[in-house]
Amino acid sequence: MAADCVPTGIPGVDEILAGKGIPRGHTILVSGGPGSGKTTFAIQFLYIGATQHNESGVYVALDEDPMDIKANMSNYGWDLKKLEEEKKLAFINVSPVRVAPSERGGLIQIGMKEFRLIKLLEAIRQAADDVNAKRLIVDPLTIFTLQYPDEIERIYAMRDLMRDLKKTSCTNLLISELRGTGLEREHQFEEYLAQGVILLRTFMRDSRLIRVFQVEKMRGLAIDNQPRPYEISGNGIEVFSKATVYR
Amino acid sequence: MAADCVPTGIPGVDEILAGKGIPRGHTILVSGGPGSGKTTFAIQFLYIGATQHNESGVYVALDEDPMDIKANMSNYGWDLKKLEEEKKLAFINVSPVRVAPSERGGLIQIGMKEFRLIKLLEAIRQAADDVNAKRLIVDPLTIFTLQYPDEIERIYAMRDLMRDLKKTSCTNLLISELRGTGLEREHQFEEYLAQGVILLRTFMRDSRLIRVFQVEKMRGLAIDNQPRPYEISGNGIEVFSKATVYR
Amino acid sequence: MAADCVPTGIPGVDEILAGKGIPRGHTILVSGGPGSGKTTFAIQFLYIGATQHNESGVYVALDEDPMDIKANMSNYGWDLKKLEEEKKLAFINVSPVRVAPSERGGLIQIGMKEFRLIKLLEAIRQAADDVNAKRLIVDPLTIFTLQYPDEIERIYAMRDLMRDLKKTSCTNLLISELRGTGLEREHQFEEYLAQGVILLRTFMRDSRLIRVFQVEKMRGLAIDNQPRPYEISGNGIEVFSKATVYR
Amino acid sequence: MAADCVPTGIPGVDEILAGKGIPRGHTILVSGGPGSGKTTFAIQFLYIGATQHNESGVYVALDEDPMDIKANMSNYGWDLKKLEEEKKLAFINVSPVRVAPSERGGLIQIGMKEFRLIKLLEAIRQAADDVNAKRLIVDPLTIFTLQYPDEIERIYAMRDLMRDLKKTSCTNLLISELRGTGLEREHQFEEYLAQGVILLRTFMRDSRLIRVFQVEKMRGLAIDNQPRPYEISGNGIEVFSKATVYR
Amino acid sequence: MAADCVPTGIPGVDEILAGKGIPRGHTILVSGGPGSGKTTFAIQFLYIGATQHNESGVYVALDEDPMDIKANMSNYGWDLKKLEEEKKLAFINVSPVRVAPSERGGLIQIGMKEFRLIKLLEAIRQAADDVNAKRLIVDPLTIFTLQYPDEIERIYAMRDLMRDLKKTSCTNLLISELRGTGLEREHQFEEYLAQGVILLRTFMRDSRLIRVFQVEKMRGLAIDNQPRPYEISGNGIEVFSKATVYR
Amino acid sequence: MAADCVPTGIPGVDEILAGKGIPRGHTILVSGGPGSGKTTFAIQFLYIGATQHNESGVYVALDEDPMDIKANMSNYGWDLKKLEEEKKLAFINVSPVRVAPSERGGLIQIGMKEFRLIKLLEAIRQAADDVNAKRLIVDPLTIFTLQYPDEIERIYAMRDLMRDLKKTSCTNLLISELRGTGLEREHQFEEYLAQGVILLRTFMRDSRLIRVFQVEKMRGLAIDNQPRPYEISGNGIEVFSKATVYR
């Protein structure tokens, strides 16, 4: 079953993923620091899906305005508006709108949280149906998880989200923000719940910072788990799947 | 008495375990990071038991859907369905089902927790009886322990679980998720309560990450406690019991 | 769209920012330790805008008295008063005034906080309108964020601030205080919310401390993310965009 | 007075203890990680006392079932049952029994705790009297100290325990679980209260893990406080009192 | 305006401060570990002011008894009593006096805190007026800040203190106690609020501890921010402004 | 005034203390890890005072039974009983006695704490008067400070204790337990309050642990603040004041 994979098409990435891509229907965590190209990675995954594999995509924006995302991505020469018009791409903006102070208080009530999860999932399903999506992004997951200060509740909410995403029949990338910067960071519980984990980090080599791509986990696939250098150029992200990050 | 051991049959592992395996009836902690092959290790232990030693096994899934586990494991060429049909293997899914918001609240009530421990043990006993199991997996233990935020309560719950598992006459592996990644991580209390501890970690050697297997503890057995390299290939896990992980 | 950039004019900085500057209308975090020249950087950005690019600026002072800022900046030979008279520069002092003990208690009431955010934004809009500002500084952001001890509330407040700053049509620098000094500091949530992040830090090289400038993130721009040495001289800040900070 | 010492008889240990052993009547902390041989050390101390010095011993088991301890120890060829029959050795099991949920709640009531300390001490005194014990083990102390989340209460409880143990006229080893693994671990308050501290740890040397024995403290005795390598073989623990753990 | 500086007169220090000294009227944090000579630095600043620059000084003692300070300082041959008699120096003791248990409770009531701040400032103003002071010390600041466990309240209190000190027209040194000893210590919020920061620390060089002086920050002045060695001899503190602390 | 010093007489120590000793009447913190010889240092200070300088001493025991202390110290050949009989030495045991559970609860009431401080000071004064003491030990201070979980209360209690000790006209050593073991430990607030700080630690040099003595602070004295090796032999503590602890 894992033999059925969704090629990312991002240079170098599928070579690392057993030459195949991401197992179809799986939910993958893409975790990186500020400026690491997480959103570029996600849009590139959708763009290649829509233009080369005839797979529509949905981008669920929890923080940044989709207008801004499209403006920033225009540098890569990806015509996202055309894809939207062709119903091959949909952006949905579910970032919490600004509310009056009295209403704001409600944001941290449990009932409200449940409502938000249900509403989020409904919006996702609706948009996925509209374009018959096969690829889906939630960016960033952090806005969602921060609403559950209690760890056990957060884990259950994440599990619920992952189970419902499974029903969409999409292959999903959840974008997450790395807090720790060191080599000895703590593993986050999301890394255990997700079916795959991709890390975008920055290391020092010789006299330079280099960007480092690593597939930490990919259930059902014999992956290359070595860290590999990557670059963000005018064409988007490129991973050098044969290069080593160490001297 | 410790002379009676259950061979794991996993390449390299029994050599490290005094040439014997895991003392029969003991409860062992298998602890590793995301993507370290904890579930593969556990299924391989059950598969070899069922096909080479005529010992039936039970897999208690607390997080992942058994359907997904079986799909992911199909890559190793292990015919788990046949074993299920032959009553040599049973999967039980005791992961908490999704509940309505009002019911959800109950999950963190103490009485509910006790109920869950009792219910979990009943389900385990039932499944173990059905296939006359000799080998048993609980994966992951973390879902269970997270429900006890108070440390002393968590220790008592773990002790209760371990004592009841002892009554099943199975040899048990409890799969646990490592949070700390460094060499100087804190020992977890589970490591003291379990009768054995196996660690699956990732270290740096020369210019590569390598996977590292270590038996930290195995009561009643003169073990090799040195860290040893291991790999996850198309045949499952293989430990290189004579190799060193240091240059 | 990102092609439209605001040149900082600070020696070396625009070279690092793809030869262009800061994407117009974006909100950038400028984060540094005590004595790192954060305020100098910000004033230099406004001064060059007003004198070389005919872009007016607003300086929103949340901690230091604008009188003191102007006195300290006089060493660089920047005639800020002339710019104020020409309506090319405006300073607004929104630092919380000293209140009587009974009134003080109100500072930590939620309603009070909302009021302060709204009042802060009104003052900003007013001053920006007065001089038709294109460049805006908030210094330091820390006084603002410290008022939200709850992390999720702080993130929402920051998002609200950033969204409202967007409506001013200014390019904005938010000055922030670094707590951690090490290479393995935790990323702060502000770094994820801002559209760009500039770090001003101090490293050891050979036998000296050196000041280090780094653009960690700049949405919509292919930046040079390498750390580069900088100096604070009688002419303000100068970044050596071709030099390396490592031996 | 300190001249009167109890020889441990464990190879290498008495050489480190000024050629004498443990000052008679003192209470010593033996602290180590999982799999470090703490229980083996303790049983070996009792076994040698009973067979070579005609000193009876009591083993107070707070976690593991004495049946299991005896099974695990059988590998060393120590005939513990014979010693029990000869009234030279007594095992007492004061590990908290499994209780119904309603009764369980009582475990964390303060009155209950006091009761447990008193009951524990009564059981110890009874067993010590039965065999006229001269050597006594409490394993592990951790189960006891975890019941006092308040630090000052924990210290008083420990002091009370130590004072009462003193009245038994036994020489006592309290077995404790090390949490921190690094060289720069924090000292635990138990180390200050106990009259001696023995550490069983694991260090890296050359390309191997080695087990390291260290007497950190032994009141009234001029000890060798250097770390020394030790091994766990078929004969129990052996410390190499002349070897260095560093290259 | 910053051109008007107060020379410290302490050997080596003014060379580091652009050849000038501390900008007149500024409030500077002097932060160091135990035994680093913080009080010596402060008294030397007052003594030189009174004897060489005809500037009177006030020493506000929050912890140590001024009698003890004077006794300890007598070793440097500074005749502080003569200066007191000449009204060139005043010591005020505002350390909290011992109170009866019932009264003690009041110390941590908010109203009491405000009172103390107001009372502290009144005492300062009174003493400053008495000697027409130009230089002022508060030693240690820590006793003051510890009374505000809430971070935002502490920052407001510090700001209030700094603003009121400004009105005295003195140049002020606030003496503060360093907790962290490492190179990667966290910056303290006081370092951001103060107009200058001087650090007195201890580093290792070759085979010795050396005392290290560093001006981290000095608003309005082009400083030398390199760490420099210093010594405490019979003449007080001497900084070697040309020497490096690294090999 | 500081010229009047109390010689410790401990080999090597007075050389480090400007050739003089401890300033008379000062209160010094002696801080070390388990087994570092803190109590030996303190008793040696009293013994030398009584036998060589005709200065009587008082030992205030807050944890260990004075009987045990005397037994442990007998190894050094110091005839403490003779000194007691000659009224040159007094031991007082103010360690909290064991109380019934109901009484126990009172130990953590604030009123009780105040009472204890007052009672402690009365006992100290009484004993100091009895032998006309010039040297006084409180061992360990930790038992005292642990009773004040609130930091500001603890500081006030410590200050009160120090002020009252001052009235005894004794030179005082407060024995304290080091928690952190690393070179980058945090400074403790006691180090700021005390008039002097002596550290007894353990470092690694070449292939051995060595004991390291350091005077971190000694108000009113030009000390040697370099770490120096020390040993505990049959004659007590000896510091090698000319040797370096580094290679």
Side-chain angles (χ1 to χ4, degrees), chain C residues 64 68 75 95 98 104 178-179 181 207 209, chain E residues 155 160 163-164 166 185 187 192 219-220 226 246:
Chain C
E64 220 184 344
D68 289 340
N75 291 321
S95 98
R98 191 172 176 192
R104 167 81 66 86
L178 269 182
R179 280 291 175 96
T181 62
S207 305
L209 286 180
Chain E
I155 289 178
D160 286 351
R163 283 174 189 200
D164 274 352
K166 205 171 160 182
R185 72 189 179 87
H187 291 301
Y192 288 104
R219 280 187 188 155
Q226 295 298 315
Y246 313 106

PDB file of all heavy atoms in Angstrom, chain C residues 64 68 75 95 98 104 178-179 181 207 209, chain E residues 155 160 163-164 166 185 187 192 219-220 226 246:
ATOM      1  N   GLU C  64      12.365  54.853  26.073  1.00  0.00           N
ATOM      2  CA  GLU C  64      13.237  56.006  26.271  1.00  0.00           C
ATOM      3  C   GLU C  64      12.510  57.292  25.862  1.00  0.00           C
ATOM      4  O   GLU C  64      11.692  57.317  24.940  1.00  0.00           O
ATOM      5  CB  GLU C  64      14.494  55.825  25.410  1.00  0.00           C
ATOM      6  CG  GLU C  64      15.772  56.270  26.096  1.00  0.00           C
ATOM      7  CD  GLU C  64      16.971  56.151  25.154  1.00  0.00           C
ATOM      8  OE1 GLU C  64      16.856  55.459  24.123  1.00  0.00           O
ATOM      9  OE2 GLU C  64      17.996  56.769  25.464  1.00  0.00           O
ATOM     10  N   ASP C  68      15.934  62.219  24.994  1.00  0.00           N
ATOM     11  CA  ASP C  68      17.184  61.510  25.240  1.00  0.00           C
ATOM     12  C   ASP C  68      17.682  60.839  23.966  1.00  0.00           C
ATOM     13  O   ASP C  68      18.876  60.817  23.684  1.00  0.00           O
ATOM     14  CB  ASP C  68      16.987  60.444  26.332  1.00  0.00           C
ATOM     15  CG  ASP C  68      16.787  61.074  27.705  1.00  0.00           C
ATOM     16  OD1 ASP C  68      17.176  62.251  27.886  1.00  0.00           O
ATOM     17  OD2 ASP C  68      16.243  60.391  28.592  1.00  0.00           O
ATOM     18  N   ASN C  75      25.457  62.647  18.224  1.00  0.00           N
ATOM     19  CA  ASN C  75      26.858  62.331  17.950  1.00  0.00           C
ATOM     20  C   ASN C  75      27.106  61.928  16.513  1.00  0.00           C
ATOM     21  O   ASN C  75      28.224  61.975  16.028  1.00  0.00           O
ATOM     22  CB  ASN C  75      27.299  61.166  18.844  1.00  0.00           C
ATOM     23  CG  ASN C  75      27.371  61.583  20.290  1.00  0.00           C
ATOM     24  OD1 ASN C  75      27.803  62.684  20.588  1.00  0.00           O
ATOM     25  ND2 ASN C  75      26.923  60.708  21.182  1.00  0.00           N
ATOM     26  N   SER C  95       5.318  55.954  25.913  1.00  0.00           N
ATOM     27  CA  SER C  95       5.727  55.167  27.078  1.00  0.00           C
ATOM     28  C   SER C  95       4.738  55.444  28.204  1.00  0.00           C
ATOM     29  O   SER C  95       4.302  56.564  28.395  1.00  0.00           O
ATOM     30  CB  SER C  95       7.144  55.541  27.489  1.00  0.00           C
ATOM     31  OG  SER C  95       7.144  56.450  28.546  1.00  0.00           O
ATOM     32  N   ARG C  98       3.933  57.764  34.574  1.00  0.00           N
ATOM     33  CA  ARG C  98       3.887  57.315  35.952  1.00  0.00           C
ATOM     34  C   ARG C  98       2.508  57.595  36.521  1.00  0.00           C
ATOM     35  O   ARG C  98       1.982  58.700  36.387  1.00  0.00           O
ATOM     36  CB  ARG C  98       4.938  58.037  36.781  1.00  0.00           C
ATOM     37  CG  ARG C  98       5.084  57.395  38.130  1.00  0.00           C
ATOM     38  CD  ARG C  98       6.240  57.955  38.883  1.00  0.00           C
ATOM     39  NE  ARG C  98       6.265  57.377  40.205  1.00  0.00           N
ATOM     40  CZ  ARG C  98       7.020  57.831  41.182  1.00  0.00           C
ATOM     41  NH1 ARG C  98       7.814  58.864  40.975  1.00  0.00           N
ATOM     42  NH2 ARG C  98       6.975  57.265  42.356  1.00  0.00           N
ATOM     43  N   ARG C 104      -2.253  52.508  39.193  1.00  0.00           N
ATOM     44  CA  ARG C 104      -1.309  51.533  38.655  1.00  0.00           C
ATOM     45  C   ARG C 104      -1.902  50.144  38.494  1.00  0.00           C
ATOM     46  O   ARG C 104      -1.698  49.454  37.502  1.00  0.00           O
ATOM     47  CB  ARG C 104      -0.081  51.415  39.571  1.00  0.00           C
ATOM     48  CG  ARG C 104       0.840  50.222  39.301  1.00  0.00           C
ATOM     49  CD  ARG C 104       1.767  50.500  38.154  1.00  0.00           C
ATOM     50  NE  ARG C 104       2.666  51.561  38.516  1.00  0.00           N
ATOM     51  CZ  ARG C 104       3.806  51.405  39.172  1.00  0.00           C
ATOM     52  NH1 ARG C 104       4.205  50.215  39.510  1.00  0.00           N
ATOM     53  NH2 ARG C 104       4.569  52.416  39.462  1.00  0.00           N
ATOM     54  N   LEU C 178      16.939  40.937  22.731  1.00  0.00           N
ATOM     55  CA  LEU C 178      17.358  39.541  22.824  1.00  0.00           C
ATOM     56  C   LEU C 178      17.662  39.192  24.272  1.00  0.00           C
ATOM     57  O   LEU C 178      18.437  39.878  24.926  1.00  0.00           O
ATOM     58  CB  LEU C 178      18.634  39.318  22.018  1.00  0.00           C
ATOM     59  CG  LEU C 178      18.529  38.893  20.567  1.00  0.00           C
ATOM     60  CD1 LEU C 178      19.926  38.680  20.016  1.00  0.00           C
ATOM     61  CD2 LEU C 178      17.723  37.637  20.397  1.00  0.00           C
ATOM     62  N   ARG C 179      17.112  38.082  24.765  1.00  0.00           N
ATOM     63  CA  ARG C 179      17.471  37.633  26.110  1.00  0.00           C
ATOM     64  C   ARG C 179      18.639  36.641  26.075  1.00  0.00           C
ATOM     65  O   ARG C 179      19.641  36.807  26.712  1.00  0.00           O
ATOM     66  CB  ARG C 179      16.258  36.988  26.827  1.00  0.00           C
ATOM     67  CG  ARG C 179      15.299  37.990  27.416  1.00  0.00           C
ATOM     68  CD  ARG C 179      15.953  38.686  28.590  1.00  0.00           C
ATOM     69  NE  ARG C 179      15.137  39.756  29.144  1.00  0.00           N
ATOM     70  CZ  ARG C 179      14.330  39.623  30.189  1.00  0.00           C
ATOM     71  NH1 ARG C 179      14.229  38.456  30.778  1.00  0.00           N
ATOM     72  NH2 ARG C 179      13.635  40.646  30.635  1.00  0.00           N
ATOM     73  N   THR C 181      21.929  34.728  24.895  1.00  0.00           N
ATOM     74  CA  THR C 181      23.118  35.250  24.233  1.00  0.00           C
ATOM     75  C   THR C 181      23.833  34.170  23.430  1.00  0.00           C
ATOM     76  O   THR C 181      24.719  34.464  22.653  1.00  0.00           O
ATOM     77  CB  THR C 181      24.121  35.799  25.268  1.00  0.00           C
ATOM     78  OG1 THR C 181      24.522  34.733  26.119  1.00  0.00           O
ATOM     79  CG2 THR C 181      23.510  36.897  26.097  1.00  0.00           C
ATOM     80  N   SER C 207      40.735  36.966  18.992  1.00  0.00           N
ATOM     81  CA  SER C 207      40.848  37.403  20.383  1.00  0.00           C
ATOM     82  C   SER C 207      39.965  38.600  20.686  1.00  0.00           C
ATOM     83  O   SER C 207      40.226  39.353  21.605  1.00  0.00           O
ATOM     84  CB  SER C 207      42.306  37.776  20.692  1.00  0.00           C
ATOM     85  OG  SER C 207      43.140  36.697  20.385  1.00  0.00           O
ATOM     86  N   LEU C 209      35.767  40.408  20.678  1.00  0.00           N
ATOM     87  CA  LEU C 209      34.332  40.398  20.413  1.00  0.00           C
ATOM     88  C   LEU C 209      34.118  41.112  19.085  1.00  0.00           C
ATOM     89  O   LEU C 209      34.730  42.145  18.829  1.00  0.00           O
ATOM     90  CB  LEU C 209      33.586  41.196  21.485  1.00  0.00           C
ATOM     91  CG  LEU C 209      33.445  40.562  22.845  1.00  0.00           C
ATOM     92  CD1 LEU C 209      32.666  41.506  23.768  1.00  0.00           C
ATOM     93  CD2 LEU C 209      32.678  39.244  22.736  1.00  0.00           C
TER      94      LEU C 209
ATOM     95  N   ILE E 155       9.601  46.018  35.960  1.00  0.00           N
ATOM     96  CA  ILE E 155      10.089  46.920  34.920  1.00  0.00           C
ATOM     97  C   ILE E 155       9.545  48.330  35.145  1.00  0.00           C
ATOM     98  O   ILE E 155      10.279  49.315  35.047  1.00  0.00           O
ATOM     99  CB  ILE E 155       9.703  46.360  33.531  1.00  0.00           C
ATOM    100  CG1 ILE E 155      10.559  45.123  33.250  1.00  0.00           C
ATOM    101  CG2 ILE E 155       9.883  47.415  32.449  1.00  0.00           C
ATOM    102  CD1 ILE E 155      10.253  44.444  31.939  1.00  0.00           C
ATOM    103  N   ASP E 160      10.421  53.856  36.909  1.00  0.00           N
ATOM    104  CA  ASP E 160      10.090  54.966  37.811  1.00  0.00           C
ATOM    105  C   ASP E 160      11.321  55.407  38.586  1.00  0.00           C
ATOM    106  O   ASP E 160      11.595  56.597  38.713  1.00  0.00           O
ATOM    107  CB  ASP E 160       8.981  54.538  38.791  1.00  0.00           C
ATOM    108  CG  ASP E 160       7.628  54.454  38.108  1.00  0.00           C
ATOM    109  OD1 ASP E 160       7.520  54.884  36.927  1.00  0.00           O
ATOM    110  OD2 ASP E 160       6.678  53.962  38.737  1.00  0.00           O
ATOM    111  N   ARG E 163      13.645  57.278  36.262  1.00  0.00           N
ATOM    112  CA  ARG E 163      13.152  58.617  35.912  1.00  0.00           C
ATOM    113  C   ARG E 163      13.317  59.606  37.064  1.00  0.00           C
ATOM    114  O   ARG E 163      13.641  60.768  36.856  1.00  0.00           O
ATOM    115  CB  ARG E 163      11.677  58.536  35.527  1.00  0.00           C
ATOM    116  CG  ARG E 163      11.549  57.977  34.132  1.00  0.00           C
ATOM    117  CD  ARG E 163      10.139  57.735  33.735  1.00  0.00           C
ATOM    118  NE  ARG E 163      10.195  57.005  32.466  1.00  0.00           N
ATOM    119  CZ  ARG E 163       9.209  56.927  31.610  1.00  0.00           C
ATOM    120  NH1 ARG E 163       8.056  57.508  31.896  1.00  0.00           N
ATOM    121  NH2 ARG E 163       9.346  56.268  30.481  1.00  0.00           N
ATOM    122  N   ASP E 164      13.113  59.103  38.272  1.00  0.00           N
ATOM    123  CA  ASP E 164      13.258  59.996  39.417  1.00  0.00           C
ATOM    124  C   ASP E 164      14.719  60.309  39.690  1.00  0.00           C
ATOM    125  O   ASP E 164      15.058  61.428  40.086  1.00  0.00           O
ATOM    126  CB  ASP E 164      12.577  59.401  40.650  1.00  0.00           C
ATOM    127  CG  ASP E 164      11.102  59.775  40.675  1.00  0.00           C
ATOM    128  OD1 ASP E 164      10.686  60.603  39.834  1.00  0.00           O
ATOM    129  OD2 ASP E 164      10.360  59.245  41.512  1.00  0.00           O
ATOM    130  N   LYS E 166      16.868  60.660  37.498  1.00  0.00           N
ATOM    131  CA  LYS E 166      17.203  61.655  36.465  1.00  0.00           C
ATOM    132  C   LYS E 166      16.959  63.083  36.973  1.00  0.00           C
ATOM    133  O   LYS E 166      17.718  64.007  36.670  1.00  0.00           O
ATOM    134  CB  LYS E 166      16.307  61.379  35.260  1.00  0.00           C
ATOM    135  CG  LYS E 166      16.848  61.846  33.932  1.00  0.00           C
ATOM    136  CD  LYS E 166      15.935  61.291  32.845  1.00  0.00           C
ATOM    137  CE  LYS E 166      16.064  62.065  31.548  1.00  0.00           C
ATOM    138  NZ  LYS E 166      15.135  61.513  30.551  1.00  0.00           N
ATOM    139  N   ARG E 185      25.190  33.648  29.583  1.00  0.00           N
ATOM    140  CA  ARG E 185      24.142  34.096  30.483  1.00  0.00           C
ATOM    141  C   ARG E 185      23.059  34.847  29.707  1.00  0.00           C
ATOM    142  O   ARG E 185      23.311  35.423  28.665  1.00  0.00           O
ATOM    143  CB  ARG E 185      24.746  35.035  31.544  1.00  0.00           C
ATOM    144  CG  ARG E 185      25.111  36.365  30.948  1.00  0.00           C
ATOM    145  CD  ARG E 185      25.895  37.285  31.846  1.00  0.00           C
ATOM    146  NE  ARG E 185      26.177  38.488  31.088  1.00  0.00           N
ATOM    147  CZ  ARG E 185      25.335  39.533  31.015  1.00  0.00           C
ATOM    148  NH1 ARG E 185      24.219  39.541  31.713  1.00  0.00           N
ATOM    149  NH2 ARG E 185      25.613  40.558  30.251  1.00  0.00           N
ATOM    150  N   HIS E 187      20.624  38.005  29.072  1.00  0.00           N
ATOM    151  CA  HIS E 187      20.620  39.428  29.405  1.00  0.00           C
ATOM    152  C   HIS E 187      19.491  39.709  30.390  1.00  0.00           C
ATOM    153  O   HIS E 187      18.392  39.175  30.250  1.00  0.00           O
ATOM    154  CB  HIS E 187      20.403  40.274  28.144  1.00  0.00           C
ATOM    155  CG  HIS E 187      21.556  40.230  27.203  1.00  0.00           C
ATOM    156  ND1 HIS E 187      22.823  40.619  27.552  1.00  0.00           N
ATOM    157  CD2 HIS E 187      21.648  39.832  25.916  1.00  0.00           C
ATOM    158  CE1 HIS E 187      23.633  40.464  26.526  1.00  0.00           C
ATOM    159  NE2 HIS E 187      22.947  39.984  25.515  1.00  0.00           N
ATOM    160  N   TYR E 192      18.615  46.606  29.603  1.00  0.00           N
ATOM    161  CA  TYR E 192      17.935  47.357  28.547  1.00  0.00           C
ATOM    162  C   TYR E 192      17.444  48.709  29.047  1.00  0.00           C
ATOM    163  O   TYR E 192      17.460  49.689  28.318  1.00  0.00           O
ATOM    164  CB  TYR E 192      16.783  46.536  27.962  1.00  0.00           C
ATOM    165  CG  TYR E 192      17.278  45.404  27.120  1.00  0.00           C
ATOM    166  CD1 TYR E 192      17.262  44.091  27.585  1.00  0.00           C
ATOM    167  CD2 TYR E 192      17.813  45.638  25.858  1.00  0.00           C
ATOM    168  CE1 TYR E 192      17.759  43.052  26.818  1.00  0.00           C
ATOM    169  CE2 TYR E 192      18.301  44.606  25.080  1.00  0.00           C
ATOM    170  CZ  TYR E 192      18.274  43.315  25.555  1.00  0.00           C
ATOM    171  OH  TYR E 192      18.766  42.293  24.796  1.00  0.00           O
ATOM    172  N   ARG E 219      24.974  54.669  26.188  1.00  0.00           N
ATOM    173  CA  ARG E 219      24.240  55.477  25.205  1.00  0.00           C
ATOM    174  C   ARG E 219      24.925  56.817  24.980  1.00  0.00           C
ATOM    175  O   ARG E 219      25.349  57.465  25.937  1.00  0.00           O
ATOM    176  CB  ARG E 219      22.814  55.701  25.671  1.00  0.00           C
ATOM    177  CG  ARG E 219      21.914  54.510  25.396  1.00  0.00           C
ATOM    178  CD  ARG E 219      20.480  54.845  25.730  1.00  0.00           C
ATOM    179  NE  ARG E 219      19.642  53.613  25.640  1.00  0.00           N
ATOM    180  CZ  ARG E 219      18.507  53.446  26.290  1.00  0.00           C
ATOM    181  NH1 ARG E 219      18.053  54.386  27.085  1.00  0.00           N
ATOM    182  NH2 ARG E 219      17.822  52.323  26.137  1.00  0.00           N
ATOM    183  N   GLY E 220      25.016  57.210  23.721  1.00  0.00           N
ATOM    184  CA  GLY E 220      25.546  58.524  23.396  1.00  0.00           C
ATOM    185  C   GLY E 220      27.051  58.595  23.348  1.00  0.00           C
ATOM    186  O   GLY E 220      27.626  59.686  23.242  1.00  0.00           O
ATOM    187  N   GLN E 226      35.284  45.965  24.097  1.00  0.00           N
ATOM    188  CA  GLN E 226      36.069  44.759  24.345  1.00  0.00           C
ATOM    189  C   GLN E 226      36.249  44.530  25.852  1.00  0.00           C
ATOM    190  O   GLN E 226      36.406  45.480  26.613  1.00  0.00           O
ATOM    191  CB  GLN E 226      37.467  44.892  23.708  1.00  0.00           C
ATOM    192  CG  GLN E 226      37.441  44.977  22.196  1.00  0.00           C
ATOM    193  CD  GLN E 226      36.852  43.747  21.539  1.00  0.00           C
ATOM    194  OE1 GLN E 226      37.175  42.631  21.912  1.00  0.00           O
ATOM    195  NE2 GLN E 226      35.940  43.941  20.593  1.00  0.00           N
ATOM    196  N   TYR E 246      42.300  37.697  26.157  1.00  0.00           N
ATOM    197  CA  TYR E 246      42.495  36.409  25.497  1.00  0.00           C
ATOM    198  C   TYR E 246      43.957  36.226  25.158  1.00  0.00           C
ATOM    199  O   TYR E 246      44.685  37.185  24.952  1.00  0.00           O
ATOM    200  CB  TYR E 246      41.670  36.331  24.209  1.00  0.00           C
ATOM    201  CG  TYR E 246      40.271  36.791  24.410  1.00  0.00           C
ATOM    202  CD1 TYR E 246      39.856  38.024  23.924  1.00  0.00           C
ATOM    203  CD2 TYR E 246      39.374  36.023  25.149  1.00  0.00           C
ATOM    204  CE1 TYR E 246      38.568  38.465  24.132  1.00  0.00           C
ATOM    205  CE2 TYR E 246      38.092  36.463  25.363  1.00  0.00           C
ATOM    206  CZ  TYR E 246      37.683  37.685  24.857  1.00  0.00           C
ATOM    207  OH  TYR E 246      36.419  38.127  25.068  1.00  0.00           O
TER     208      TYR E 246
END
